[in-house]
Amino acid sequence: MTGPQQGGGLDEPVATSASPEVSSAFDRGQQRGENPQVAGADGPASTTLDSRWLGTWRRPGDRRRAPCRVCGHTFRLDDTVYLRHSENGKLADVTHHLRNLPCSGHATPSELPDPRAQAAFFRGVDAADPSPDTLHTMRLMPDDPALGHPRQRNACFVCRHTFRLFETVVVCPCSPQDRGCLKAVHQDPARGLGCFEQWRSDLTVVQCPMNFRTLKRS
């Protein structure tokens, strides 16, 4: 063929003579089409199945899947987030905008919960209504090493979401009474996180999720 070549694959950028204003308006319109809750402008938005940041969204110039840049936690369904866009209308940044994860910076200090009061509340709840299971579930309190830190959060190996404060988990499911590692899995039905039961419906562990070795049982 000697004529002008058409554009390449679907993922390749296509040259356009449209003005920056038109390109920006088009991109914002596309976002509204994919997720009607997002108007293509800076501000709060709710996370849905169609939200770009829920799955494989990456910040411009970053090759890795991007969690919240402030707290390091993954984005979950129904999380309220704060969106920021670049001048050309493309999504540039997403941060949590929740009362317990006020990463957007738009929450006033009076609105922020006191983690010490929350910890005391959950200790009282667990003391009054201890878990009847034999899985040795534990609640993640402040400074628990299983939480990780903002630059390197630990995540459930079933749902792949990071562990958040006060969730209940099974840490080192091979030997929960004597932690051999910090590998953990959610077991928090009250929050809809029955990951251990999803992984092991019979509530027993027969293979280590770290090295895949079969465990010895008496």
Side-chain angles (χ1 to χ4, degrees):
M1 294 178 62
T2 57
Q5 295 294 318
Q6 297 295 321
L10 293 177
D11 295 330
E12 296 181 13
V14 178
T16 177
S17 58
S19 67
E21 292 78 11
V22 172
S23 296
S24 173
F26 178 83
D27 189 75
R28 292 175 189 273
Q30 184 180 35
Q31 290 186 53
R32 285 194 296 271
E34 293 177 351
N35 185 356
Q37 296 191 64
V38 179
D42 292 356
S46 180
T47 303
T48 71
L49 287 173
D50 296 320
S51 299
R52 296 183 179 184
W53 54 90
L54 181 64
T56 58
W57 178 75
R58 296 169 176 79
R59 294 188 187 88
D62 196 340
R63 296 183 177 181
R64 298 180 300 174
R65 177 180 176 182
C68 177
R69 62 175 173 79
V70 179
C71 66
H73 284 298
T74 53
F75 299 107
R76 301 182 185 178
L77 281 175
D78 299 325
D79 277 354
T80 301
V81 299
Y82 197 91
L83 308 181
R84 293 176 175 86
H85 297 78
S86 58
E87 292 183 358
N88 63 6
K90 293 185 180 298
L91 186 60
D93 193 24
V94 184
T95 52
H96 282 108
H97 188 63
L98 299 165
R99 186 170 182 268
N100 58 330
L101 293 176
C103 307
S104 66
H106 288 264
T108 61
S110 61
E111 296 175 329
L112 304 182
D114 182 354
R116 293 173 299 179
Q118 287 182 298
F121 169 78
F122 281 114
R123 289 192 185 99
V125 169
D126 293 339
D129 185 24
S131 175
D133 63 43
T134 59
L135 300 177
H136 304 284
T137 56
M138 57 170 291
R139 193 178 298 277
L140 295 175
M141 292 296 187
D143 301 322
D144 193 299
L147 287 167
H149 52 82
R151 291 187 178 180
Q152 188 175 0
R153 292 290 185 187
N154 292 323
C156 174
F157 59 80
V158 174
C159 70
R160 306 308 302 168
H161 280 300
T162 54
F163 298 116
R164 297 185 183 181
L165 198 59
F166 304 126
E167 292 179 338
T168 55
V169 302
V170 177
V171 180
C172 188
C174 298
S175 182
Q177 291 178 301
D178 183 21
R179 295 189 191 183
C181 66
L182 291 180
K183 199 73 173 178
V185 57
H186 284 115
Q187 182 55 23
D188 198 336
R191 289 181 170 85
L193 296 169
C195 301
F196 190 96
E197 295 182 21
Q198 178 184 344
W199 177 51
R200 287 287 181 262
S201 59
D202 57 358
L203 303 184
T204 61
V205 181
V206 296
Q207 190 178 51
C208 175
M210 283 291 290
N211 56 31
F212 303 106
R213 292 181 179 176
T214 301
L215 303 177
K216 294 181 179 180
R217 297 295 181 189
S218 57

